[in-house]
Amino acid sequence: MNINATLLGQSITFFVFVWFCMKFVWPPIMQALGERKKQIADGLAAGERGKHELELASKRAAEHLHEAKQKAADIIAQADKRAAQLVEEAKGTAKAEGDRMIAGAQASIAQETVRAKEALRSQVAGLAVAGAEKILRREIDAKAHADLLDAIKNEL
Amino acid sequence: MSTEALTSSEYIKHHLQNLTYGKLPGSDHWQLAHTAQEAKAMGFWAFNLDTLGVSLVLGVLFLFMFRLAAKRITADSKGVPTGLQNFVEWIVEFIDTSVRGSFSGKNPLVAPLALTIFVWILLMNLMDLIPVDWIPQLAHLAGLPFFKVVPSTDPNATFGMAISVFFLVVYYSIKMKGVGGFVGELTLQPFGKLGLPANIFLEGVNLIAKPVSLALRLFGNMYAGEMIFILIALMFGGGIGIGLFGGVLQWGWAVFHILIVTLQAFIFMTLTIVYLDMAHQEHH
């Protein structure tokens, strides 16, 4: 328990250790700890940002989906309407065509009838004339009717 | 107990004697002191090889461990820290928090200084938990007459560190406040110019008390703890019953001592930080 030069030795050792610690131990550890702290903070921030972005994206996706559904429904409705319209149109056209064809047929039937009647009429006239001629031929006596014929000759 | 038949008093004295290396008066060559009288006779120019050796080994161990961790953390700062690195980081963070809490100035020396003080003193104090006979017995086998394994039970070690801290305190006082400021602080307060002698006396005592209390607190605590271990170890020679009781006591004291060991290292460190903080601050 004597105070001796150990004191000096211990002091020198102490200063050397402190110097070494200050030069090679403390700064790198503190620097690395600081860096890691920053990294962790950054990572957490990035995670938070990612979560936020994911939320936004899922919201956007839902919106898109909704929009697409709406659009599809619209398109289907439109198509239905168009189809109904087309059917209506086709119906209309078909009816008109039918009516037209019926009208044409009726007209041509009427025409034929008229023509047949006409032909019949002319034939009836001819037959009547021929019948009359035959009757007349048997009836008419040139001598008895000479004066009549003469009268006509004179009128000419 | 030692293999030789010793009285209790001799046993205790043997355990409290450092392995001293120096020159005996009248002799011209360096040698180990084989008795306490010889060690005393060697005067100031002698070295306690056990104190220096153990503290050197522990200090190198500390720096090696921390340097290794520093290298690892620098090489792979993105990796997940494990084992030693976690431990080192934990201590560094702890010291950093202590320094930030007590030291208001800006000085890159203070934090590494605090780290060195804390870990080094803690390691030295922890030597106290090694059963008191193991190392001296090994030393005896190696032919060394004494071996005091706890450096912080040697006042040379504690005063060596305390005086170094004191030197730093004075250095930074003068650096921050100038020679005039430092001398002014010593002479002009608390009573002003008229109370100059009283001022010098009060402030002088105040200044000197710092290293003395720093060194003696650590030394006293560790010395007392070591002494109790030695006294308990004496019981092992007193038969099976007393020996067993001694074993229980030793275990209990060792558990309690873990607290003292850590606390003393922490106090030494904290006071160093506080003294250096005072050195950096203007008092007016």
Side-chain angles (χ1 to χ4, degrees):
Chain A
M1 282 232 300
N2 317 304
I3 292 292
N4 57 27
T6 310
L7 188 83
L8 302 178
Q10 196 75 8
S11 293
I12 293 165
T13 320
F14 179 63
F15 275 119
V16 171
F17 285 163
V18 170
W19 170 80
F20 186 89
C21 187
M22 190 175 136
K23 210 80 187 165
F24 300 109
V25 175
W26 189 264
I29 292 182
M30 283 321 279
Q31 200 195 341
L33 284 183
E35 269 169 25
R36 190 185 309 142
K37 213 175 268 174
K38 197 175 157 295
Q39 239 166 25
I40 291 174
D42 287 355
L44 286 178
E48 198 57 38
R49 223 171 25 244
K51 217 168 106 187
H52 189 64
E53 260 162 32
L54 180 69
E55 240 166 54
L56 275 184
S58 61
K59 210 188 268 176
R60 255 204 316 270
E63 257 167 38
H64 276 304
L65 197 66
H66 186 70
E67 222 169 85
K69 267 186 187 159
Q70 191 102 35
K71 228 178 237 177
D74 281 358
I75 288 170
I76 289 171
Q78 228 164 16
D80 278 352
K81 221 164 90 184
R82 180 87 187 113
Q85 211 177 0
L86 277 176
V87 169
E88 279 311 305
E89 261 176 32
K91 262 190 200 162
T93 326
K95 199 160 182 279
E97 188 73 7
D99 284 354
R100 209 165 46 82
M101 275 163 77
I102 290 168
Q106 276 174 345
S108 67
I109 288 169
Q111 219 175 350
E112 283 302 305
T113 316
V114 171
R115 209 178 314 155
K117 271 185 186 162
E118 220 43 53
L120 212 54
R121 197 175 294 147
S122 65
Q123 277 175 356
V124 167
L127 279 173
V129 171
E133 211 176 47
K134 282 198 177 133
I135 296 164
L136 282 174
R137 205 151 285 168
R138 197 158 353 134
E139 293 295 312
I140 290 176
D141 186 0
K143 288 165 269 177
H145 291 102
D147 53 329
L148 257 176
L149 286 171
D150 285 343
I152 292 169
K153 256 184 225 170
N154 290 338
E155 270 173 41
L156 287 172
Chain B
M1 271 193 92
S2 200
T3 45
E4 293 144 58
L6 292 168
T7 65
S8 297
S9 143
E10 276 170 345
Y11 175 77
I12 293 172
K13 277 183 187 156
H14 180 263
H15 270 282
L16 293 179
Q17 177 57 46
N18 280 108
L19 179 67
T20 311
Y21 184 69
K23 277 194 287 195
L24 283 168
S27 157
D28 212 24
H29 67 279
W30 289 76
Q31 60 185 27
L32 288 171
H34 288 272
T35 61
Q37 288 74 30
E38 275 184 13
K40 197 162 206 130
M42 282 172 178
F44 183 77
W45 286 107
F47 294 95
N48 293 344
L49 293 185
D50 44 5
T51 300
L52 286 172
V54 172
S55 58
L56 193 70
V57 167
L58 292 174
V60 169
L61 180 75
F62 147 62
L63 288 174
F64 174 75
M65 248 169 58
F66 276 62
R67 177 71 188 148
L68 194 69
K71 266 188 181 161
R72 242 183 245 170
I73 195 177
T74 312
D76 184 23
S77 64
K78 285 186 177 59
V80 178
T82 50
L84 171 75
Q85 205 182 321
N86 260 332
F87 179 68
V88 166
E89 282 176 20
W90 172 59
I91 292 184
V92 166
E93 291 251 331
F94 164 67
I95 304 288
D96 191 46
T97 315
S98 297
V99 171
R100 273 175 214 281
S102 315
F103 188 76
S104 51
K106 265 194 180 306
N107 190 339
L109 171 80
V110 175
L113 176 76
L115 176 68
T116 310
I117 287 178
F118 179 71
V119 181
W120 199 27
I121 292 183
L122 181 66
L123 287 173
M124 286 195 239
N125 290 354
L126 279 173
M127 290 297 106
D128 216 357
L129 296 179
I130 297 174
V132 282
D133 278 323
W134 287 12
I135 307 283
Q137 206 58 253
L138 279 178
H140 183 76
L141 291 178
L144 300 172
F146 305 104
F147 205 92
K148 204 170 161 196
V149 73
V150 191
S152 43
T153 56
D154 181 355
N156 286 306
T158 61
F159 271 104
M161 280 185 290
I163 289 172
S164 306
V165 169
F166 177 68
F167 171 76
L168 285 175
V169 167
V170 172
Y171 172 76
Y172 280 111
S173 287
I174 293 175
K175 194 181 169 193
M176 301 307 286
K177 300 163 196 163
V179 178
F182 180 61
V183 173
E185 248 176 29
L186 280 180
T187 53
L188 298 181
Q189 58 173 2
F191 298 125
K193 278 178 188 160
L194 294 176
L196 197 79
N199 290 343
I200 290 178
F201 176 70
L202 277 175
E203 289 294 317
V205 168
N206 202 355
L207 191 68
I208 300 300
K210 284 174 187 173
V212 172
S213 67
L214 209 53
L216 285 183
R217 180 183 301 107
L218 178 61
F219 164 70
N221 273 283
M222 297 322 295
Y223 187 79
E226 175 82 345
M227 184 65 106
I228 289 177
F229 274 125
I230 294 170
L231 291 177
I232 290 172
L234 274 177
M235 295 173 76
F236 296 145
I240 290 180
I242 296 178
L244 279 178
F245 181 59
V248 173
L249 276 183
Q250 186 180 2
W251 183 82
W253 182 241
V255 171
F256 179 62
H257 214 56
I258 293 173
L259 176 71
I260 298 179
V261 152
T262 320
L263 195 65
Q264 286 307 318
F266 179 71
I267 290 174
F268 201 109
M269 176 197 83
T270 307
L271 286 178
T272 303
I273 299 171
V274 170
Y275 291 159
L276 279 172
D277 183 49
M278 283 158 72
H280 281 70
Q281 272 172 353
E282 299 281 345
H283 281 277
H284 304 290

